[in-house]
Amino acid sequence: MRHIEVVPEKVAWVLVRDGRVLVTRNRGLDVFYFPGGKREPGESDAETLAREIAEELRTRVDTATMVHVGTFETRNDDDGRTEFRMFCYTAEYTGPLLASMEVEELGWFGYGDRARVSAVDQLVFDALHTSGQLT
């Protein structure tokens, strides 16, 4: 029987304002990430994004305004297999952006802060910078 490897995936919110992008840092970690998280069984990307942003930032994303920014993957240097996949969306929101219990810190990062985010998030930073959205 052939073993099928499951690639970990995340649905992430990309909120860009004035050439900077919103990132979060969870308690006990040094690295920043785009807000979002893993799907629960049977959840769509919209349902996942809405749930995760409500949990992490205590705000509501308007799923009707979601636009797919891109899907980004990190690969294993040894065999080229995908290690992690992130589905990124923009969306409008209502309410304040407030850190939840799991989120230690919010930040608005420019391209110069790229080294402070995870490897897959760095790929998104590159794409946003290339498109002129991130300064």
Side-chain angles (χ1 to χ4, degrees):
M1 178 184 242
R2 186 175 164 180
H3 177 68
I4 297 174
E5 301 221 8
V6 177
V7 175
E9 296 180 340
K10 174 181 176 177
V11 177
W13 189 31
V14 178
L15 180 61
V16 179
R17 295 289 185 261
D18 300 320
R20 299 177 116 26
V21 68
L22 178 67
V23 292
T24 60
R25 184 179 59 79
N26 286 359
R27 296 190 188 290
L29 299 178
D30 295 326
V31 176
F32 284 80
Y33 301 88
F34 285 105
K38 296 178 182 173
R39 288 183 205 88
E40 295 291 333
E43 268 186 337
S44 67
D45 285 1
E47 292 166 328
T48 302
L49 192 66
R51 177 182 52 77
E52 287 288 342
I53 299 310
E55 289 173 5
E56 293 179 10
L57 299 173
R58 303 179 189 173
T59 196
R60 188 181 77 77
V61 294
D62 180 355
T63 57
T65 66
M66 284 176 59
V67 175
H68 185 243
V69 174
T71 301
F72 300 86
E73 298 179 342
T74 55
R75 300 198 178 269
N76 184 305
D77 289 337
D78 295 332
D79 60 15
R81 289 187 185 182
T82 300
E83 290 182 312
F84 190 81
R85 182 176 298 124
M86 188 164 68
F87 302 90
C88 296
Y89 296 89
T90 61
E92 295 302 317
Y93 69 98
T94 55
L97 298 171
L98 301 170
S100 69
M101 293 290 289
E102 69 187 69
V103 174
E104 177 84 20
E105 182 179 3
L106 303 178
W108 289 94
F109 283 9
Y111 192 67
D113 299 302
R114 181 182 180 275
R116 298 176 64 193
V117 301
S118 73
V120 70
D121 289 31
Q122 288 180 8
L123 299 174
V124 182
F125 267 57
D126 293 343
L128 293 172
H129 181 68
T130 298
S131 71
Q133 296 178 69
L134 194 61
T135 56

